Amino acid sequence: MRAEILSHIQEATDDYIRQGYSSEEARLAARRSFGGVLHIEDAHRDARSFVWLDLLLRDLRHAGRALRRSPGFAVVAVLTLAVAVGAVTALFTVLDGVVLKPLDYPDADRIVSIVNRYVDRRAPLLTGGDETDIAAMPDAFDSIAYYSGGEMGVQLGDHAEFVGVRRVHPDFFRVFQLAPIAGRVLTRDDAQRSALVSLGFAERNYGSPAAALGRSLFVENRAYDVVGVTSARMQFPARTDVWMAAPLDPPNRNRSGHNYRAVARLAPGVSVERADARLLALAERLAVAFPVTNRGKTFAASPLRDSLVADVRTTLWVLLGAVGLLLLIACANVANLTLARGETRVREIAVRAALGASRRRLVGQMVVESLLLGVLSSGLGLLFAYVGTHALLRVGTSYVPLPRLQDVHVDARVLGFGIAMSLFTTVACGVAPAVRVSSLSVTDALNHAGARSALGGHSAGMRSALVLAQIALSCVLAVDAALLLQSFVRLTETPVGFHHDGVLVTYAHAPARGSFFDQSGLENYLRAGQFFDHLLDRVRRLPNVVAAGAAMGLPTGQYDSNGSYAIEGKQTFSGDFRRLPSAGFRLASPHYFETLGIPVLRGREFSDGDTYERPSVVIISQALAREQFATENPLGHRIMCGLDRVDEWMTVVGVVGDVRQASPASAPGPELYMPLRQHPYTANEVQIVIRTRTPPESFMGTMREVVRSMNPDVATKFLTLDASIDNSVAAPRFRAALLSTFAALALLLALSGIYAVMSYTTAQRTAEFGLRVAMGARSTDVVRLVLATAGRLTIAGLVIGLVLAFATSRLIASMLFGITATDLGTYAGVLMLGMPFAAVAAAVPALRAAHADPLAALRSE
């Protein structure tokens, strides 16, 4: 055994000598590693562990010294990778929280939303009659609940507040299985009597969740007792503060009005596919029973998470892909820097190899240096990711309608992703250059000229390939960013059909007694309409007010309505409503078109005489007039629609210009404008528009005091029409801004790569340039030669990038407005702009080569 131990000690001693220890140090270290060891197996294992641990520590110390000797390289490499890793991690954090994470509800994968679909159009909302039949399906759902509503006024005794209010079936909270933090959930006995409020609402209005219990709030002058306060985890529907218990069955049970949404919890053992099959079978039965309304209609169950993120999923994946390209460009840049740094270490590596260091040890040492860079860049990158995530959240909260923002945070999962990404990229950046440098011949490497020529021959192709990849990937980002920027510019420059500058919008809700469509409550709704008439009269007399009007269905606003209509003598308002033309339904007051600058092309605007008692009138948009009347004069024709007074014909008294209703991206469509006073049941919640001579923001306080002095129960909220327009194009702005930022960073990295390669190339060709100058070449000839080399590299990279951009253009095609994803002008512009940038990057090395001293260059050989 002694001989065996001595053999292992000798083996360990030899390992230490090969790593640079003196003979005495190696013997002492080897013997110390076997001190106190009783068994030869333990001795061997401990000796190996000691050797490798000691080697790792030595490599880390050597790596630290090496990086300190090259502070410029270390700083640039760490910053480059940290920025790229931080950007990737920040976007992954948002994507993870919004798209990937399960919803924060028990068994969230069993919660589905239920929608209907037509063969020829989308109608995601359910009708009341269909929802009732779906809820009666046996064994498909453990619980199901319909809901409706939006932002409206809530009266709290001493004040009113404009908040998100949802009328929900009493089983709504059974679907989510979230216990409230105070009180209880709704039961079927609570229908139309009780409500739950959010934690924020309770603290804001009552001081605490406990203080909210037993209090009453009023919506449309109906009292609801607060029986519970939801936890912060209850975030559905988004931006809801009050959940009121609705009737057990939908109030409107016809099969033509799509007024409700529905969520359900799948029954145990029922999959989404199985629920879909049962819904399809029900749709087929209803199509036979109700052919007029249900023919061509199907129902579908979709995981609730998918429904929530459907509008943003593609955008986030595209942005993550873009920032992934940025990370690849950063890796290529750092790999180029590592190769350049390897030039200065050729002799060092050759000496170590001559002293016995294996190629594996040499590569391992350089990989350890890369790992050290990875640790530094991961720490800084995670800091950038934290800052970037909060910046994205602020943007998402203020402008972009990102769902599930409460689930977005930097957690252990995100930290692990960021650290793994940083270490992987740094090792990937270091391995290939390490293998390349360590493969040099020791004899050539110890000779200065041989080392330079050997490394130059081995690394020139790799460096050029890396720069080629940088240019190509940067070109892809540049094309996509240019397309999105042009799309956004065209979007903002598109005429919307109305004047939105200098206009204040006041959302106002006057409560009215009586149920919706209840004849006994008509006087209360008429009284609410009269309040707005008086309010508008008073506002128009205020200083600096140019004009004022009101509407229900303001362009780019929160409310929208549409449906079928019939023109007397052309269609019959009965039978299959899907065969009738459809239009948007808007309510408007006198002076509304004047306030927004919507031109009256024919006839007249609404007047104070268009009241409920007078014959019904309507104003149509130019698109509807063109679609239905062609060259015929539409004035005097009569129209009937499905808004509320479906048994009365409305006489066309005017034609107004077309308006892009939803956003500048929406094409103008047919619209029916009806007087507010003639449709009181839907006109007690309006948007008041006020054109002022002063900045509209300064008028908010005045407007709030005027409304409060007239009726403190009227809830209000304010924004400018400019802000409303901006909000409608927030998503395109978000995409264009982020992708442009990534493209700019990628361009800087690509230019630095071109600069590094050309600097290296000109340094390698110093003797050649010196000989050319000595033979009579002019400085401009040398500059032209260097720029030609950079030009060939740039053109090749740009062509590859344009081909890649063209091949992947379909990924952003749906995000563009007024421009196609294969717009040749954009591709040509990127190609033409790329060359001057590359010339600038290569100019400094070219000038340096042109001014090189030929005698000094030749003497160096």
Side-chain angles (χ1 to χ4, degrees):
M1 180 180 294
R2 177 180 176 80
E4 201 169 347
I5 292 177
L6 290 175
S7 174
H8 283 291
I9 290 177
Q10 184 60 47
E11 183 180 348
T13 302
D14 293 340
D15 281 340
Y16 280 118
I17 291 175
R18 280 195 296 271
Q19 302 307 318
Y21 282 75
S22 67
S23 298
E24 185 62 28
E25 290 173 337
R27 282 195 296 272
L28 289 174
R31 289 180 181 277
R32 186 168 61 249
S33 67
F34 286 87
V37 179
L38 299 179
H39 300 288
I40 186 62
E41 293 83 1
D42 294 337
H44 183 75
R45 183 176 62 252
D46 291 350
R48 286 297 181 188
S49 300
F50 176 84
V51 169
W52 284 109
L53 178 61
D54 188 72
L55 288 176
L56 178 61
L57 293 175
R58 288 182 59 216
D59 285 347
L60 285 172
R61 288 194 295 269
H62 183 78
R65 290 194 298 269
L67 292 179
R68 285 197 298 271
R69 288 196 299 268
S70 305
F73 163 79
V75 170
V76 172
V78 168
L79 282 178
T80 299
L81 290 175
V83 169
V85 169
V88 170
T89 306
L91 260 174
F92 174 78
T93 304
V94 176
L95 179 73
D96 183 53
V98 173
V99 177
L100 302 180
K101 279 184 182 177
L103 298 176
D104 194 17
Y105 307 121
D107 297 324
D109 58 329
R110 291 175 53 199
I111 303 176
V112 297
S113 62
I114 301 175
V115 299
N116 65 38
R117 297 171 182 163
Y118 284 99
V119 175
D120 56 344
R121 60 189 174 97
R122 293 186 59 191
L125 275 67
L126 296 172
T127 67
D130 291 338
E131 193 280 334
T132 302
D133 289 329
I134 293 172
M137 289 174 57
D139 304 326
F141 305 110
D142 184 60
S143 53
I144 183 172
Y146 75 87
Y147 64 96
S148 61
E151 280 196 317
M152 61 181 67
V154 175
Q155 287 72 44
L156 299 164
D158 59 340
H159 70 286
E161 188 172 339
F162 221 98
V163 296
V165 178
R166 296 296 190 280
R167 295 179 175 88
V168 301
H169 187 277
D171 289 343
F172 184 83
F173 289 94
R174 283 188 56 202
V175 174
F176 294 91
Q177 295 186 355
L178 273 185
I181 61 173
R184 61 175 176 83
V185 297
L186 299 173
T187 67
R188 296 199 169 199
D189 294 333
D190 290 318
Q192 295 186 283
R193 297 193 302 109
S194 304
L196 269 74
V197 298
S198 68
L199 175 61
F201 184 90
E203 292 177 340
R204 190 167 62 247
N205 291 289
Y206 304 115
S208 68
L213 299 179
R215 305 290 288 272
S216 294
L217 54 84
F218 296 82
V219 177
E220 297 288 22
N221 281 337
R222 180 187 291 274
Y224 292 86
D225 296 328
V226 178
V227 298
V229 178
T230 64
S231 70
R233 293 169 60 190
M234 187 61 200
Q235 295 287 334
F236 186 85
R239 295 178 291 278
T240 299
D241 280 310
V242 179
W243 292 263
M244 306 183 305
L248 298 180
D249 292 319
N252 184 357
R253 298 183 63 181
N254 70 52
R255 297 182 187 270
S256 60
H258 299 84
N259 300 308
Y260 305 101
R261 299 180 185 272
V263 289
R265 176 174 287 270
L266 296 173
V270 177
S271 64
V272 175
E273 293 75 17
R274 188 175 175 186
D276 266 341
R278 295 189 179 184
L279 288 169
L280 180 60
L282 173 64
E284 291 174 349
R285 291 196 300 271
L286 293 179
V288 174
F290 306 99
V292 172
T293 58
N294 284 67
R295 187 171 59 247
K297 179 197 294 186
T298 60
F299 308 115
S302 172
L304 183 60
R305 181 184 63 179
D306 294 347
S307 300
L308 290 175
V309 304
D311 293 337
V312 299
R313 182 193 291 112
T314 301
T315 292
L316 291 178
W317 278 115
V318 167
L319 290 176
L320 185 66
V323 79
L325 292 181
L326 179 64
L327 180 62
L328 291 176
I329 295 169
C331 289
N333 194 278
V334 173
N336 246 334
L337 291 174
T338 304
L339 273 175
R341 181 168 172 261
E343 298 176 32
T344 64
R345 304 184 63 191
V346 171
R347 293 178 64 81
E348 169 202 340
I349 293 171
V351 169
R352 294 186 64 194
L355 292 176
S358 66
R359 184 180 181 187
R360 185 178 66 178
R361 284 290 302 125
L362 295 175
V363 173
Q365 171 63 50
M366 299 185 74
V367 170
V368 169
E369 293 180 19
S370 297
L371 283 173
L372 184 57
L373 282 176
V375 171
L376 297 174
S377 62
S378 65
L380 188 58
L382 290 175
L383 176 61
F384 289 161
Y386 181 82
V387 175
T389 300
H390 283 269
L392 287 173
L393 288 180
R394 283 195 297 272
V395 172
T397 302
S398 303
Y399 300 106
V400 184
L402 288 176
R404 304 187 61 194
L405 289 180
Q406 74 281 356
D407 294 329
V408 178
H409 52 270
V410 179
D411 54 14
R413 175 168 161 164
V414 171
L415 289 175
F417 173 85
I419 293 172
M421 184 66 63
S422 183
L423 295 179
F424 173 78
T425 52
T426 49
V427 171
C429 292
V431 168
V435 171
R436 179 66 70 186
V437 172
S438 65
S439 65
L440 294 178
S441 166
V442 174
T443 304
D444 287 341
L446 289 175
N447 179 283
H448 176 70
R452 188 180 65 188
S453 61
L455 184 61
H458 281 81
S459 65
M462 178 181 287
R463 291 170 65 92
S464 296
L466 289 171
V467 173
L468 202 67
Q470 286 180 271
I471 296 172
L473 296 177
S474 300
C475 181
V476 173
L477 286 178
V479 168
D480 290 347
L483 289 171
L484 288 174
L485 276 175
Q486 290 183 81
S487 171
F488 179 70
V489 169
R490 295 187 184 191
L491 193 62
T492 56
E493 292 178 348
T494 299
V496 292
F498 58 93
H499 300 156
H500 50 83
D501 54 309
V503 176
L504 175 67
V505 180
T506 302
Y507 283 79
H509 183 194
R513 297 182 185 275
S515 302
F516 194 68
F517 290 120
D518 183 359
Q519 185 65 30
S520 64
L522 176 60
E523 292 300 323
N524 297 302
Y525 283 100
L526 291 174
R527 192 175 299 113
Q530 291 171 356
F531 166 79
F532 286 122
D533 285 345
H534 298 324
L535 175 61
L536 286 171
D537 287 341
R538 182 169 173 179
V539 168
R540 292 184 187 111
R541 293 194 298 268
L542 291 174
N544 296 317
V545 172
V546 177
M552 182 60 179
L554 188 71
T556 70
Q558 297 180 359
Y559 305 107
D560 190 27
S561 181
N562 60 72
S564 302
Y565 69 93
I567 300 174
E568 188 178 29
K570 293 188 177 185
Q571 299 100 9
T572 302
F573 197 70
S574 62
D576 190 349
F577 292 103
R578 290 174 297 172
R579 296 183 180 275
L580 294 175
S582 61
F585 297 159
R586 318 290 165 207
L587 304 182
S589 75
H591 306 288
Y592 169 75
F593 299 108
E594 172 195 349
T595 303
L596 292 190
I598 300 175
V600 178
L601 305 177
R602 287 187 178 186
R604 64 174 177 87
E605 193 175 351
F606 295 134
S607 68
D608 294 333
D610 295 320
T611 60
Y612 186 79
E613 299 79 12
R614 300 292 299 275
S616 297
V617 297
V618 64
I619 293 175
I620 64 174
S621 67
Q622 186 177 15
L624 191 148
R626 185 169 51 248
E627 178 181 294
Q628 294 296 326
F629 297 99
T631 58
E632 184 182 0
N633 185 1
L635 298 183
H637 284 269
R638 299 205 302 172
I639 294 177
M640 183 181 291
C641 75
L643 179 63
D644 52 1
R645 304 173 72 174
V646 296
D647 57 341
E648 294 190 19
W649 290 100
M650 304 176 293
T651 302
V652 177
V653 297
V655 179
V656 296
D658 289 331
V659 168
R660 293 180 181 267
Q661 188 68 28
S663 76
S666 62
E671 304 283 351
L672 294 176
Y673 296 91
M674 294 160 273
L676 272 168
R677 293 294 303 277
Q678 291 189 344
H679 301 269
Y681 290 112
T682 52
N684 66 314
E685 184 177 351
V686 302
Q687 301 93 58
I688 300 171
V689 288
I690 309 166
R691 182 170 298 280
T692 62
R693 296 185 181 89
T694 58
E697 296 87 350
S698 64
F699 202 73
M700 292 181 182
T702 301
M703 190 64 186
R704 183 180 293 108
E705 290 303 319
V706 168
V707 174
R708 186 176 299 168
S709 66
M710 295 181 64
N711 187 349
D713 286 338
V714 175
T716 56
K717 76 169 187 176
F718 305 91
L719 79 162
T720 65
L721 196 50
D722 277 335
S724 183
I725 295 287
D726 288 343
N727 291 341
S728 71
V729 296
R733 182 193 300 113
F734 178 69
R735 290 192 294 258
L738 279 186
L739 206 57
S740 297
T741 301
F742 299 153
L745 290 173
L747 177 63
L748 290 176
L749 291 175
L751 292 179
S752 66
I754 294 174
Y755 172 81
V757 165
M758 297 316 300
S759 295
Y760 169 79
T761 303
T762 54
Q764 292 294 310
R765 299 174 66 184
T766 299
E768 174 195 341
F769 293 144
L771 182 61
R772 287 176 179 273
V773 172
M775 296 291 291
R778 295 172 298 178
S779 298
T780 54
D781 297 329
V782 176
V783 170
R784 190 181 302 112
L785 188 63
V786 174
L787 292 181
T789 302
R792 287 192 295 270
L793 192 64
T794 302
I795 291 175
L798 288 174
V799 170
I800 294 173
L802 292 176
V803 172
L804 290 175
F806 190 88
T808 59
S809 60
R810 67 182 185 278
L811 296 176
I812 64 168
S814 62
M815 304 176 185
L816 301 177
F817 173 83
I819 189 173
T820 64
T822 55
D823 180 68
L824 296 180
T826 301
Y827 287 74
V830 170
L831 180 62
M832 298 303 295
L833 289 175
M835 293 303 299
F837 281 115
V840 170
V844 174
L847 292 174
R848 188 186 301 128
H851 292 88
D853 183 358
L855 293 179
L858 293 173
R859 194 180 301 119
S860 67
E861 292 298 304

